[in-house]
Every structure is written in C-alpha cells, then in structure tokens.
Amino acid sequence: MTVEFNRETSFGWMINVVASQASKQLDSALKPYGLTAALWPTMMCLWEKEGVTQREIAEKSKVENSTTTRTLDKLEKLGLVERRNDPHSRRSFRIYLTKDGHHLKEKLLPVPMTVNQHLLNPLSTDEQQQMLLLLQKMIKGM
C-alpha cells in the first residue's frame, strides 16, 4: 500500500508554515531594535538568568553550541552582552547582559506575546491552551 503525501495533513509541513510565519513576524517587530528572531532565544535565556555558560544557553534555547557562539558574537557587537572569564574554568566564559541588554527587556518582552497572540487568534481560548500543552509535551519528549 502506497501512502501519498498531503501537505494539508502533514504535521511537519504545517508546523513549518506556522514557525516560518512566527519568525517573519518576530523579525519584523525586532528589526527596529537591531535584533532578529535568531537572537531572541539567547536574550530570553539571559533575562531569566545571567552568568550562565554558552553551553547552558545552547541547551536551554535548544540550538547547537556553534550557533550560540555566533549569536553571542552578534549580541556582543550590538553591545547587549559581554563574556566574562569563568572563575571555575580557564576555557569557558560566563555570559552577562550589559546595561543596554537589561534596558531592552521591558520594551521587548511584549513583542513575542503579541506575535504569539496573533498566530493563536484563529483558535478559541480552550484550543490555545490545548495547543500549548501539546507542544510542551512534544518538546519534553524530545
């Protein structure tokens, strides 16, 4: 029996469309601040907790360590983060927000909430909660 691909019932295709749209909207909203959707997870991690290692940021934001290196380089050039020597390891750094990085938090935290709400708008409140719970369950299972 041959199974035919139908994009309208393909989870992968649909989740990719939603993720792509979310990324475009987030990029557009962050552009005035010199940021992109790719830089966002690292900023979120640091607003939650500073003084973490690059590896901890990569794990928490679910991206490769090499991607996190490039992200931190960009954020450092923007003057939003700084690397400080790790007192426990000569080969690693601890990552901290700069004054400018701290100041962006209150301005930017509402941005993804607005994007998320726009994307979830076609769903009822119960469907939105169910969608989030199901996605959380999937992520925990990865």
Side-chain angles (χ1 to χ4, degrees):
M1 178 173 153
T2 304
V3 178
E4 289 190 35
F5 175 78
N6 180 349
R7 67 180 169 80
E8 293 179 3
T9 58
S10 167
F11 172 79
W13 182 81
M14 290 186 286
I15 202 77
N16 188 52
V17 169
V18 172
S20 177
Q21 187 61 35
S23 184
K24 286 177 188 174
Q25 289 181 22
L26 189 56
D27 269 338
S28 178
L30 293 174
K31 190 175 183 174
Y33 302 95
L35 295 174
T36 64
L39 303 175
W40 185 251
T42 299
M43 292 300 292
M44 291 287 293
C45 287
L46 291 168
W47 286 328
E48 290 171 10
K49 183 180 178 186
E50 289 185 82
V52 293
T53 64
Q54 177 177 314
R55 177 172 296 197
E56 290 171 311
I57 292 171
E59 288 172 8
K60 202 171 189 180
S61 57
K62 308 283 190 227
V63 297
E64 296 294 323
N65 205 30
S66 59
T67 302
T68 303
T69 300
R70 289 189 300 276
T71 299
L72 289 171
D73 289 344
K74 290 175 185 173
L75 291 171
E76 203 168 33
K77 283 181 185 175
L78 289 170
L80 300 177
V81 303
E82 62 183 7
R83 291 174 168 108
R84 297 182 193 164
N85 290 330
D86 186 334
H88 306 293
S89 170
R90 292 187 310 196
R91 296 189 315 188
S92 71
F93 296 94
R94 296 284 170 169
I95 313 301
Y96 291 86
L97 291 162
T98 63
K99 193 178 202 181
D100 289 343
H102 279 287
H103 286 296
L104 279 180
K105 182 178 180 178
E106 289 197 27
K107 290 180 189 175
L108 295 184
L109 279 182
V111 170
M113 293 165 59
T114 301
V115 170
N116 290 342
Q117 193 54 54
H118 182 261
L119 293 168
L120 289 167
N121 239 4
L123 305 176
S124 71
T125 302
D126 288 342
E127 289 170 329
Q128 289 177 24
Q129 291 172 347
Q130 186 178 15
M131 174 68 74
L132 295 174
L133 288 172
L134 291 171
L135 288 171
Q136 288 169 351
K137 188 175 182 178
M138 289 178 70
I139 289 169
K140 284 180 186 172
M142 293 179 179

